[in-house]
Amino acid sequence: MHTGMLHTHVLSVTLFLIIYLVKAYYLLTDRKKELGKFSKWTKIPEMVISFIFLATGVYLTTQVEKIETWLIVKIIVVLASIPLAIVGIKKENKAAMAASVGLLLYAFGVAESKSLTFTKPAFENVVTDPQSPSYDAMKHGAAIYQVNCERCHGVDGNAGLQGAPDLTKSQMSFEQKAMIITLGKSVMPSYQNMLSKPGEIAAVTTFVESLKK
Ligand code: HEC
């Protein structure tokens, strides 16, 4: 629904970062003349871009249903990088400039991955209670699969590591699959203890069925 606004935000952030990185590059490599020229040349566009970037950012923040940790960290990091960048450019202070570049790039990574460590937790926003009205066995199963099965069967089911068969070509029925997942076989471990909560085996079996080509 706010995709237009979101695209505008991402575009303005990207443009802002490009201008900013060029400036940081000139400053850090002692190219003061080029820095002066470039700053003069980008002055007006930069003002417009930063305004759009901040305005769309503020608007989007007011629209999110739940403010998550990564978003708070992203905002704090972006805000912290601004005074550093100003000191960096105005006082030609390399350490401040390098620190602000680092902070902005980190914020960009956080925003892209929605994670402080750039990794998506498998169970983020996944409803795991089969009784819940918003329960989706496929999503639950995908998360279980990512955590437990990917290391042998791979993301798409056909990695074949440690002698694992290609799940996209499995001829087994739902029940047979559920059985092998529950009891394990040869190298494949048994999951009856690990996936003992209601619906877990069924959910991951549902996901495995969806891998079939
Ligand atoms: C340590 C590696 C490993 C892990 C982890 C693993 N598997 Fe397996 N999987 C195998 C191997 C090896 C086989 C073949 C077993 C045999 O037939 O001897 C297999 C067989 C299967 C089969 C039967 C496919 C067929 O048609 O023969 C299914 C379904 C399956 N795995 C699903 C899963 C699911 C779901 C998970 C996670 C909950 C999982 N596996 C985790 C190695 C693994």
Side-chain angles (χ1 to χ4, degrees), residues 145 153-160 164-174 176-177 207-213:
Y145 183 87
H153 291 285
V155 180
D156 303 315
N158 59 3
D166 185 346
L167 297 178
T168 67
K169 297 203 174 80
S170 176
Q171 298 298 314
M172 288 187 182
S173 68
F174 186 97
Q176 286 171 316
K177 285 189 186 110
F207 176 76
V208 168
E209 293 262 72
S210 77
L211 294 170
K212 200 161 170 177
K213 292 256 155 67

Side-chain angles (χ1 to χ4, degrees), residues 144-145 147-153 161-167 169-172 176-178 180-181 184-189 191 195 201 204-205 208:
I144 296 174
Y145 183 87
V147 172
N148 298 285
C149 326
E150 248 178 54
R151 69 187 165 98
C152 292
H153 291 285
L161 303 170
Q162 302 216 38
D166 185 346
L167 297 178
K169 297 203 174 80
S170 176
Q171 298 298 314
M172 288 187 182
Q176 286 171 316
K177 285 189 186 110
I180 203 165
I181 296 165
K185 194 176 172 195
S186 71
V187 184
M188 174 153 159
Y191 284 93
L195 302 176
I201 297 277
V204 75
T205 310
V208 168

Side-chain angles (χ1 to χ4, degrees), residues 72-82 102-104 106-107 110:
I72 299 171
V73 172
K74 174 189 137 182
I75 293 170
I76 292 172
V77 170
V78 169
L79 292 179
S81 74
I82 295 172
L103 286 180
L104 270 191
Y106 177 68
V110 168

Side-chain angles (χ1 to χ4, degrees), residues 127-131 135 140 144 194-203:
V127 181
T128 57
D129 175 9
Q131 303 301 320
Y135 182 71
H140 185 201
I144 296 174
M194 242 182 295
L195 302 176
S196 60
K197 292 204 196 88
E200 286 184 325
I201 297 277

